[in-house]
Amino acid sequence: MLKGKHLIDLNEFTTDEVDEILGLAEKMVNNPLDYCEIAKGRILATLFFEPSTRTRLSFEAAMLRLGGQIIGFSSPDASSTSKGESLSDTLRTVAAYADIIAMRHPKEGAPRLGAKFIDAPIINAGDGGHQHPTQTLTDMLTIKSIKGTVSGLTIGVCGDLKFGRTVHSLIKAFSRYPGNRFILISPQELKIPQYIKTQVLEKGNIEFLETEKIDEVMGELDILYMTRVQKERFFNEEDYIRLKDSYILDRDKMAMAKEDMIVLHPLPRVNEISYEVDEDERACYFKQVEYGMYARMALIAKLLGVDK
């Protein structure tokens, strides 16, 4: 059903298709050796025009664990774009070598533009402050595996809701499942974009609350999704310095939460989660890293059409 498709925006996949990917990922988590040869002879190109640790290595580990191979670059300086080559020419070249491409780019819409020029599936690994669909698959797999559902949850998202592409993708994805409610926790300057509120939450009649005070809502949450204030998204360093410590999750705040609430974070963190929280069983952000590899394994297998 998914073979040959591009993944630019997860909302372009039906909920049945998303559930299909998550179902395969859960099978891979439980029996990884059953899938260690299914992509043998296939090549994944990782084209990262923007720095990344977890996403790039996760894609590469995913392909290697499926039995495939990888090529690519981790910086635009390592590609011919530094010489002035166009994105379309780069992609047409790489598509001659690879069966599937994972691309991260600082400009919004770059993966969608690239998909117009090649037939090989392109996976959007993050485009500016816009979308990060494979992080959302990671989040969904983590939540489903730990909480047993992706419906009927109160999800708090905290920190940089304006520039955080992971937050935007998360809200869009979970708004498609029944009974989910969002609590949006941020300073005024980093509030969720208006289009998310009007085109996603209000249009879908999704319950949500905006607040600047995390203490007042901790006890309501099933999920707390923390994000860092991203220095690279600011034009004014003074604004970044003023806002970067707006919310710091510590042991005292965790004491206000439900016993079965879980804390997620797309990482990297700076200081928005105190290291003392790592000892709490509800801190699931490093489990989230591992689930990310399995989510990408399942996605690659589906898009290549090699899933069992």
Side-chain angles (χ1 to χ4, degrees), residues 126-175:
D127 59 334
H130 192 220
Q131 295 279 347
H132 198 347
T134 63
Q135 180 63 51
T136 305
L137 283 174
T138 296
D139 301 337
M140 296 182 78
L141 179 62
T142 305
I143 291 168
K144 187 178 181 187
S145 298
I146 297 172
K147 302 293 286 185
T149 184
V150 290
S151 302
L153 300 167
T154 295
I155 303 170
V157 286
C158 179
D160 182 358
L161 310 189
K162 181 178 181 180
F163 297 108
R165 59 191 169 198
T166 58
V167 169
H168 303 166
S169 292
L170 181 83
I171 291 173
K172 288 179 178 180
F174 276 85
S175 292

Side-chain angles (χ1 to χ4, degrees), residues 242-299:
R242 180 170 54 84
L243 294 170
K244 69 183 180 70
D245 295 329
S246 294
Y247 301 97
I248 298 177
L249 184 65
D250 57 20
R251 188 176 290 140
D252 291 339
K253 290 186 177 67
M254 289 296 290
M256 304 174 187
K258 296 177 182 178
E259 290 186 3
D260 63 347
M261 182 205 72
I262 63 172
V263 181
L264 301 182
H265 191 305
L267 302 178
R269 69 170 158 186
V270 183
N271 62 346
E272 61 277 0
I273 299 179
S274 171
Y275 284 93
E276 66 188 20
V277 175
D278 295 357
E279 301 170 11
D280 195 306
E281 291 183 356
R282 295 169 291 180
C284 296
Y285 27 90
F286 290 112
K287 290 181 183 178
Q288 190 180 357
V289 171
E290 184 178 2
Y291 281 123
M293 179 184 69
Y294 288 108
R296 292 177 176 101
M297 285 172 66
L299 175 65

